[in-house]
Amino acid sequence: MSSFVLALTMLLIAFSVSGCLLLDGTLFSEKEEYNMPRVPSADDFTSITQIEQYYDIRIIVVDPIWSESQIVEIFNQQQATLGPDFLRQLVAFYRQDGLPTRFVFETPNDVDEAMVGVDDRFVSFVIYNAEGAHESVIHEMGHLLEFFLEIEGYDWQDEFVSFNGGVNYLGDRWERYSILPSGLDQVFVTLYATYDPSEDFAETFSFAFRYPDHLYDGFAYEDGVIAASKDPSTPVAQKIAFVRALAQLK
């Protein structure tokens, strides 16, 4: 058994006990509030086949409601946001130990936007809705980075949480609010980030690469969060810098 598989097996056991199973689903109950068309580029993908070859992934269209143009645009958006190498590097990391990556385009529903999971066979992204897909995909990319760090044995969580300065996570109580409670906009980039360190990491990752243009859909960030992101002394700014540094995989 390779060291990677052993590490992954131990992680699966640990996350099974906690009920996480290296799986995340992004849940939103309201429609997205922001939408900005992407400016076309000469480097754009033009087909699913081209995307599969470039990233060494498999794209599975479960529901024919998805058009090729919708899928291609999602990948063009994520490449414009994260750059040409981020997803390729993560795919290559998992592929070298026998875990192919697949993107599954499922039947839309009113609950799930997207989710990502890692098991002993695949890295699987599941995408449900075209509306809000970019925000969700970037969030899930943050989780995939998180899983990569854990498999590599890097304990990111203690350092990341230390930036909160002792402010506790809300857990399920985050659902009671419509905006960040007073003062928490200096610590968390979104209300959902207050749930736990994992969601905080993924939401911070999304902010780090999608702000200032809220690329290309999703909820607009609160004014206090935007102000805090520009002040290096705030927990928000420190966490953004930390996540950006970790995203440099080379």
Side-chain angles (χ1 to χ4, degrees):
M1 180 180 291
S2 71
S3 59
F4 174 90
V5 174
L6 179 59
L8 179 59
T9 301
M10 295 301 293
L11 272 172
L12 286 171
I13 293 171
F15 278 87
S16 295
V17 171
S18 67
C20 181
L21 279 175
L22 284 182
L23 181 68
D24 172 76
T26 305
L27 307 177
F28 294 113
S29 59
E30 302 176 14
K31 287 188 175 181
E32 286 70 25
E33 298 176 346
Y34 191 92
N35 186 279
M36 185 182 75
R38 185 184 61 85
V39 177
S41 165
D43 297 325
D44 282 356
F45 296 114
T46 58
S47 70
I48 287 176
T49 298
Q50 185 183 13
I51 295 166
E52 289 179 320
Q53 292 174 347
Y54 183 81
Y55 287 115
D56 189 21
I57 62 176
R58 185 182 176 200
I59 294 174
I60 302 169
V61 183
V62 174
D63 192 326
I65 194 172
W66 286 94
S67 68
E68 182 167 26
S69 62
Q70 285 177 317
I71 294 170
V72 168
E73 178 59 14
I74 287 170
F75 280 93
N76 281 331
Q77 287 177 341
Q78 72 80 28
Q79 179 163 263
T81 299
L82 296 177
D85 296 325
F86 182 80
L87 178 57
R88 290 183 84 177
Q89 289 177 307
L90 284 178
V91 167
F93 167 77
Y94 290 106
R95 171 70 76 175
Q96 72 184 0
D97 281 281
L99 292 179
T101 298
R102 61 185 188 177
F103 281 76
V104 182
F105 289 83
E106 264 285 2
T107 300
N109 64 54
D110 295 329
V111 178
D112 304 295
E113 297 291 350
M115 61 176 57
V116 65
V118 181
D119 60 27
D120 58 357
R121 297 177 302 156
F122 302 105
V123 176
S124 296
F125 279 82
V126 183
I127 302 170
Y128 293 96
N129 295 303
E131 184 180 5
H134 182 68
E135 180 183 53
S136 298
V137 166
I138 301 305
H139 175 101
E140 302 305 334
M141 291 286 189
H143 281 300
L144 192 59
L145 173 62
E146 172 194 343
F147 302 158
F148 162 80
L149 295 169
E150 290 165 354
I151 291 169
E152 286 288 272
Y154 178 64
D155 184 10
W156 59 270
Q157 189 169 128
D158 287 347
E159 186 173 359
F160 182 77
V161 172
S162 72
F163 294 122
N164 291 357
V167 175
N168 294 323
Y169 288 94
L170 298 178
D172 291 335
R173 290 179 295 143
W174 78 274
E175 296 178 293
R176 302 176 187 176
Y177 302 93
S178 58
I179 61 173
L180 283 160
S182 178
L184 293 192
D185 57 0
Q186 303 296 295
V187 183
F188 303 103
V189 296
T190 65
L191 184 55
Y192 190 38
T194 67
Y195 177 68
D196 67 11
S198 178
E199 299 307 338
D200 190 9
F201 185 93
E203 287 288 273
T204 303
F205 177 89
S206 185
F207 182 100
F209 288 97
R210 291 177 61 247
Y211 182 78
D213 298 316
H214 306 291
L215 298 173
Y216 287 100
D217 54 39
F219 294 104
Y221 294 109
E222 295 181 27
D223 290 342
V225 171
I226 293 173
S229 73
K230 299 175 181 178
D231 180 352
S233 69
T234 67
V236 159
Q238 292 163 8
K239 288 195 286 188
I240 290 169
F242 179 74
V243 169
R244 277 191 170 277
L246 291 180
Q248 305 304 310
L249 297 176
K250 292 182 180 179

